[in-house]
Amino acid sequence: MTLFFIITLSAIIVSAQTEEEEWDNYLNYYADTLAQTLRVDDTTFLNSIFDEDRFLEKILIQKDDENIKFYNKSYSKRLKKELNIGKMIVEAIDTGHYDFVNHYTSVDGDIHMIFRLLGMDAAFNYHDYQLEWVEVDSVYRVTDVFFYGNGEKLSETLQMVYKNLLRGALDVKVGNSRINKTALETNKFVKIKSLLANQKYEEAKELYYSIPKELRKHRIYKYWRIEILSHFENQEYIDAINDYNKSYPNDPSFFFLAYNKALIEEDWDAALKYINKIDISVGLDSFLDYYRGVIFFNKEDYVKAQEKFESAQSIYEFELLYDNLLALYVETNQHAKAIKILNDYLSDFNYIKEDVIKWVKLNYADFSQTTEFFVWEKE
């Protein structure tokens, strides 16, 4: 679907509405189209509205130096050929959910659209798309994406790689003896991500600490240190989060890290504090009530836990939410509601009843002895 079609259809739909309503409807339709296409692995729309030239302007160093100009020309050509932002986002979504949350206008007049990425394991992240007005086309185009989880724009991540590659290329040009050393260290960064993807955590950790300390001072390296150590759950992981907090105390990415740290330490008040901070940073997302429900359940405040879980259920229906609702209903002896969850497992998630029965008897022995369960089992 082209941007022209979206604008035209939007204009027809909202012709009788106020200017503000028109704008909101246009942006909502634009965002919904983006989310719907990406959810079905269709990268065409996002790639068509991505402005490669403006994106490159954020990355490249512009100097009146022939060597830099020559490298920039080569790098730009290669990046345009290799970068597929649509594919990148689709791979991040994988089998998860991807939904538009809200939009806002920054002080410089750019439009921002925030999307929630929810994994099958209920891990979550937010993507903030920056849209700039392109006068020559008379349209808004995506020029960057900010990832809340690691606290960096895509352009910032690639610029760090670009600078190291440029430095290495210039070293070669002038015959410097440390030829491509920084570029080599950047390659380690790429290998680390590959090792993590293949669950080779010890190798990733060893390779990370082989990177010079000077490079490890960069935010993205500090972030990946935490990502690596999260698979070990030791004091070193907590120390890495604390180190990140000292460097970036008000960064949205820290809120995510602090929330995960609080869960590990079972500090439920801190976990609630950082979920609320995340909520504010993304302009309020009512789906975060699911995580508040988890927190209140662990605090044994079952009234608030039920309120938050059922609030989240009105927005989203996914398996872990149902698992938590079942645990809550069993714990509070709401057997009729617990039975409804069991039926939902069969109708919404296509589970076999015999398997559900065995699972309940294994995990909820007392509940499996209730009259309500006996009746349901025999139905």
Side-chain angles (χ1 to χ4, degrees), residues 336-353:
K337 289 189 173 184
I339 294 298
K340 183 180 184 307
I341 295 295
L342 299 184
N343 285 324
D344 289 337
Y345 282 145
L346 307 183
S347 61
D348 296 349
F349 301 104
N350 298 318
Y351 277 108
I352 299 172
K353 187 169 184 177

Side-chain angles (χ1 to χ4, degrees), residues 16 18 26 45 138 145 183 196 206 215 240 242 268 287 295 313 355:
T18 67
Y26 165 70
F45 180 65
S138 297
V145 185
L196 289 177
E206 183 179 349
L215 270 180
N242 290 335
W268 306 117
F287 177 71
I295 292 167
Q313 188 184 26
D355 293 337

Side-chain angles (χ1 to χ4, degrees), residues 229-277:
L229 295 176
S230 69
H231 300 286
F232 296 90
E233 294 188 1
N234 53 23
Q235 185 58 42
E236 194 176 1
Y237 170 61
I238 302 300
D239 291 342
I241 293 178
N242 290 335
D243 176 57
Y244 193 95
N245 180 31
K246 289 179 182 178
S247 302
Y248 312 104
N250 298 311
D251 192 276
S253 60
F254 171 69
F255 302 153
F256 283 79
L257 297 171
Y259 169 70
N260 289 327
K261 176 188 173 187
L263 294 183
I264 291 172
E265 296 177 337
E266 297 187 359
D267 185 346
W268 306 117
D269 289 335
L272 184 61
K273 169 186 172 181
Y274 286 109
I275 275 293
N276 291 339
K277 284 182 175 291

Side-chain angles (χ1 to χ4, degrees), residues 124 126 275 278-279 282 285-293:
F124 66 104
Y126 291 92
I275 275 293
I278 292 171
D279 203 6
V282 299
D285 180 9
S286 54
F287 177 71
L288 291 178
D289 275 347
Y290 166 73
Y291 302 96
R292 294 186 180 96

